[in-house]
Amino acid sequence: MALPPQFLEELRNRLTLSDVVMRRVRLQRAGREFRAPCPFHNEKTPSFYVNDQKGFFHCFGCGAHGDVIGFVMRHDNLSFMEAVEALAPDAGLTVPKASPQERERFEREKSLYDLVERATRWFEGQLRAPVGRHGLAYLRGRGLDDEAMARFRLGYAPSDGAGLRAELVTAGYTEADMVEAGLFKRPDDGRAPFPFFRNRVLFPVTDRRGRVVAFGGRILEGEGPKYINSAENPLFHKGDILYGMSRARQAAADGKPVIVTEGYMDVIASVMAGFEGAVAPLGTALTETQIQALWKLAPEGQRLPILCFDGDNAGRRAAFRAVERVLPLLMPDHSVRVAFMPEKEDPDSLIRAGGAAAFQAVLDRARPLTDVLWDMEAAERDLTQPDAQAGMQAALEAQLERIPDARVRNAYHRAFKDRLYQLGRPARPAFQPGAGEATRAGSAPAPRPSRWRGSGTNASARVSRSGRRAGASACCWPWC
């Protein structure tokens, strides 16, 4: 029975490989991995390794290799379906019963993956053909060499779609297939479908497994939006995917930071400069699904992706929108940092001008979410004024109420407590050496105020049980 790919991916994501293996094999910690004598062949020296971050096991002795499903199949001598059925309860999932319609849909999706892959190879060829010379010149003008173009499988869509149509028809696909995959569009007036991408440099978009599911296209000349993305189709949902996600997954497993940039060229420039965890949304603000996907990319305890924004007002507004989107999703060890680019720079232009070091300097200045949230609410307030201070307190309280996890919400309350308290305190006078001492020869120093030592008549200086001096005004902030 064919199972939906989404179900299998969710099954693997919910299970920790070492937990499953440990129920059958005694594992020992080995750095970021686990090791043991291989259960699949006799050996005395451990050569069987389990890597939770990459989601696979490997034996350097016998070559056994696979994911959590493959391990259970091999160790427990089960078929694929039997292993899935054994693991599903541990993941809190119910194995779907495939109807004839679902089996048909699965086969249909597989066929569409093959169609899009064939189109990708055709677009790559067009970039190197005479018809693609303008696209090739554009990419080289943006500083991309042949290695970068090949690595990201960049292509070119000519103005005439006849060549692509002929290529796909020869492979056995119909016009309906091409329309469903988003490569052609059917006009409302009933005319023949026309190519969706024309006279554009193409950036293939892959899913988590590295399969091409869509394209982003940059126009070279003529009318139309500068960038367009494939229409939503059975393989592609724009709000669920990040450009560069499959590569960033491996980079995060290797301990590299996940960096969210704004566009295709930003990702390519970042990766070629060594920042392989770079990703980008597809022309829209980050969605909740994309934020969750960012956290899934990185190992536990390292889920702090860096969101890069332009340093101008538009970039700051985008950062504030991202903060508001992240707040309701916060969990322990799940947050973001925010880095602002220099004025009129993006990662692509900054790296071309100053190299990897310039971009690294920006990432090193990435700020925690608490700082950005504070700045967001303080932006239009004169915090020297009491009413503005009260407004700041109210605004922060309202923002923090959007955090559903009580542990995180309380931690943010504590983080803002001292900042709010300091707003209500008068500034300390500057220290003046010699203050209170004799100012001229023979004069007596000014008397020092006596300190309360737990006795005496100075009742106003006594400390109450709460730790405050009796008679001192109580802190006006409720979190103190």
Side-chain angles (χ1 to χ4, degrees):
M1 180 184 76
L3 292 172
Q6 296 86 348
F7 168 79
L8 295 175
E9 184 172 1
E10 185 67 18
L11 179 68
R12 295 182 180 101
N13 287 339
R14 288 195 185 192
L15 294 171
T16 302
L17 178 58
S18 62
D19 290 344
V20 175
V21 175
M22 210 173 294
R23 296 175 199 151
R24 298 161 174 83
V25 178
R26 180 173 294 180
L27 296 176
Q28 294 179 332
R29 172 69 73 172
R32 292 194 298 174
E33 299 179 315
F34 297 88
R35 68 179 180 180
C38 181
F40 306 126
H41 79 286
N42 294 325
E43 65 172 3
K44 295 182 180 179
T45 302
S47 61
F48 176 81
Y49 284 78
V50 174
N51 190 313
D52 285 332
Q53 295 174 359
K54 298 181 180 179
F56 65 71
F57 66 89
H58 183 81
C59 177
F60 291 93
C62 67
H65 181 93
D67 62 7
V68 64
I69 300 174
F71 175 81
V72 173
M73 288 174 62
R74 189 161 188 161
H75 186 275
D76 297 0
N77 194 25
L78 300 176
S79 68
F80 178 82
M81 278 304 305
E82 289 171 336
V84 169
E85 289 170 351
L87 290 169
D90 295 336
L93 296 173
T94 301
V95 179
K97 302 298 182 184
S99 64
Q101 293 80 9
E102 288 173 332
R103 286 195 293 269
E104 181 181 351
R105 182 174 60 84
F106 175 78
E107 293 300 326
R108 181 64 177 159
E109 286 186 355
K110 183 177 182 301
S111 177
L112 290 178
Y113 281 119
D114 294 339
L115 184 157
V116 174
E117 173 59 29
R118 183 175 288 271
T120 303
R121 293 197 299 267
W122 188 83
F123 288 135
E124 287 180 281
Q126 297 303 296
L127 182 64
R128 303 293 179 176
V131 71
R133 64 185 183 278
H134 296 303
L136 193 61
Y138 167 78
L139 292 173
R140 285 179 174 162
R142 295 294 300 266
L144 300 187
D145 57 18
D146 291 345
E147 178 190 354
M149 294 182 215
R151 186 173 182 180
F152 287 88
R153 305 192 64 185
L154 304 186
Y156 176 74
S159 300
D160 183 2
L164 176 61
R165 186 194 307 270
E167 172 75 13
L168 297 177
V169 168
T170 302
Y173 297 102
T174 66
E175 282 189 346
D177 298 330
M178 303 174 204
V179 171
E180 187 173 15
L183 293 171
F184 283 77
K185 186 173 181 180
R186 198 182 303 278
D188 295 334
D189 59 10
R191 288 177 296 152
F194 61 88
F196 187 76
F197 296 102
R198 291 176 289 181
N199 190 31
R200 290 180 182 268
V201 169
L202 293 189
F203 302 83
V205 178
T206 61
D207 62 11
R208 288 171 60 90
R209 295 171 59 183
R211 299 172 298 185
V212 179
V213 295
F215 300 92
R218 205 275 189 195
I219 198 167
L220 295 181
E221 59 184 5
E223 297 181 355
K226 181 189 250 185
Y227 282 96
I228 60 173
N229 295 307
S230 294
E232 302 257 329
N233 62 65
L235 307 182
F236 173 61
H237 302 285
K238 185 164 62 174
D240 296 347
I241 290 179
L242 293 156
Y243 181 64
M245 186 162 60
S246 59
R247 183 177 291 102
R249 185 180 189 182
Q250 181 61 52
D254 293 336
K256 297 181 179 180
V258 176
I259 305 163
V260 182
T261 64
E262 290 196 32
Y264 300 110
M265 293 300 301
D266 292 329
V267 171
I268 294 173
S270 299
V271 170
M272 299 307 294
F275 303 94
E276 296 187 358
V279 297
L282 303 177
T284 62
L286 279 174
T287 67
E288 294 181 1
T289 302
Q290 288 170 333
I291 294 167
Q292 298 282 6
L294 287 171
W295 287 333
K296 287 182 180 179
L297 291 176
E300 286 286 351
Q302 302 178 32
R303 290 173 174 166
L304 281 169
I306 301 173
L307 312 184
C308 289
F309 295 97
D310 293 343
D312 56 14
N313 289 334
R316 293 188 178 277
R317 287 194 298 271
F320 295 161
R321 287 195 298 271
V323 168
E324 291 183 331
R325 186 66 59 86
V326 169
L327 283 176
L329 306 176
L330 292 177
M331 298 181 291
D333 286 331
H334 291 66
S335 187
V336 298
R337 289 176 290 165
V338 177
F340 289 102
M341 304 296 300
E343 192 76 21
K344 298 182 180 179
E345 296 280 7
D346 55 33
D348 176 34
S349 64
L350 185 65
I351 289 170
R352 281 191 284 133
F359 190 37
Q360 183 62 58
V362 171
L363 301 179
D364 290 342
R365 295 193 297 270
R367 305 177 67 196
L369 194 60
T370 49
D371 285 0
V372 182
L373 181 56
W374 178 274
D375 290 348
M376 173 178 164
E377 296 301 340
E380 302 297 330
R381 291 186 170 92
D382 177 4
L383 293 181
T384 63
Q385 302 302 314
D387 57 340
Q389 296 168 13
M392 182 73 168
Q393 178 191 354
L396 287 172
E397 286 177 337
Q399 290 284 13
L400 299 191
E401 285 304 310
R402 301 175 60 225
I403 303 176
D405 190 290
R407 296 161 297 182
V408 177
R409 186 171 60 251
N410 291 338
Y412 271 66
H413 274 289
R414 291 192 297 271
F416 289 128
K417 170 184 172 181
D418 288 341
R419 292 191 185 190
L420 289 166
Y421 176 65
Q422 291 299 327
L423 289 179
R425 299 188 65 186
R428 291 176 176 238
F431 175 73
Q432 299 180 4
E437 303 294 338
T439 56
R440 61 174 61 91
S443 64
R448 297 177 183 271
S450 62
R451 293 184 177 181
W452 178 74
R453 302 181 184 276
S455 61
T457 59
N458 189 1
S460 64
R462 294 182 181 178
V463 178
S464 68
R465 292 181 182 178
S466 66
R468 295 191 180 93
R469 293 174 182 269
S473 60
C475 175
C476 60
W477 307 112
W479 302 336
C480 294

